[in-house]
Amino acid sequence: MRKITAGLFISLDGVVEAPETWHFPYYNDEMGEAVAAQMRAAGATLLGRRTYEIFAAHWPQQDPDKDPMAATLNASPKYVVSTTLTDPKWENTTVIGGDVRGALTKLKQEPGEDFGMSGSPTLVSWLLREGLLDELHLLVHPIVVGAGKRLFEDGIGQVPLTLTESETFSTGVLNLTYTKA
């Protein structure tokens, strides 16, 4: 069975919004390798609409010879959960609308590589609540942002998780991996 794995930058106070405004002082080679390893482990990308729009505006314009991540993301299958996106322009993109739970359950049962997610916190929360997220990677930054969208602000309810891996980077960022309990 295919897994869905999500990775997020998150502050100590749970903020996941606009990491580009608070995350970069903590970025180093350790974090870069952790993020790259997670992305390499996935054969397909699962995105919410807003994250898809950000990625689709950026990655197709990058030179794959200079940025191997561009080559990987542009060539790999992408699935976007959206009720409003109808005509995705980024190559190899499929829109999942309607019965999202049913569609993702079916995709997970098909043969193939795992799904990776970067960002898309609204979708991550929904996947957790629905029991569809298999692994959650949190890069917890040692900063209190104070305001912004938090990962668990939508009344998700209790979701028992098991910490399966942890590492502390030299910048103080915690690299935590959780699976369903």
Side-chain angles (χ1 to χ4, degrees):
M1 179 176 257
R2 298 164 84 177
K3 293 188 317 184
I4 298 176
T5 300
L8 293 164
F9 300 135
I10 188 166
S11 68
L12 282 178
D13 55 341
V15 174
V16 291
E17 183 178 23
E20 69 278 2
T21 64
W22 49 265
H23 147 78
F24 285 109
Y26 303 96
Y27 186 86
N28 65 6
D29 290 343
E30 293 169 298
M31 186 183 296
E33 180 50 37
V35 171
Q38 182 187 344
M39 294 184 93
R40 282 192 305 265
T45 303
L46 179 62
L47 302 161
R49 183 194 49 81
R50 280 177 259 161
T51 303
Y52 167 80
E53 288 173 349
I54 292 166
F55 279 31
H58 176 77
W59 288 109
Q61 281 60 258
Q62 303 311 302
D63 182 348
D65 294 327
K66 293 180 182 175
D67 188 342
M69 191 58 62
T72 300
L73 284 172
N74 290 329
S76 71
K78 291 164 281 296
Y79 296 87
V80 183
V81 174
S82 176
T83 57
T84 58
L85 182 67
T86 57
D87 187 23
K89 304 292 185 220
W90 195 8
E91 65 181 311
N92 302 316
T93 298
T94 302
V95 176
I96 300 173
D99 179 13
V100 174
R101 187 179 210 308
L104 289 176
T105 299
K106 182 179 176 185
L107 281 170
K108 286 180 70 168
Q109 293 170 349
E110 292 176 357
E113 296 180 88
D114 292 340
F115 297 93
M117 298 179 66
S118 180
S120 301
T122 301
L123 181 57
V124 169
S125 290
W126 182 84
L127 291 167
L128 275 169
R129 185 174 56 243
E130 295 296 314
L132 293 171
L133 189 69
D134 299 290
E135 220 171 78
L136 178 61
H137 295 257
L138 297 176
L139 290 167
V140 183
H141 292 57
I143 185 172
V144 173
V145 176
K149 179 175 177 49
R150 287 172 168 73
L151 181 56
F152 304 116
E153 67 186 2
D154 68 349
I156 190 172
Q158 288 188 9
V159 179
L161 301 170
T162 300
L163 179 66
T164 57
E165 292 180 42
S166 66
E167 178 182 14
T168 303
F169 296 149
S170 60
T171 58
V173 170
L174 299 175
N175 181 12
L176 307 174
T177 303
Y178 293 93
T179 58
K180 294 186 221 180

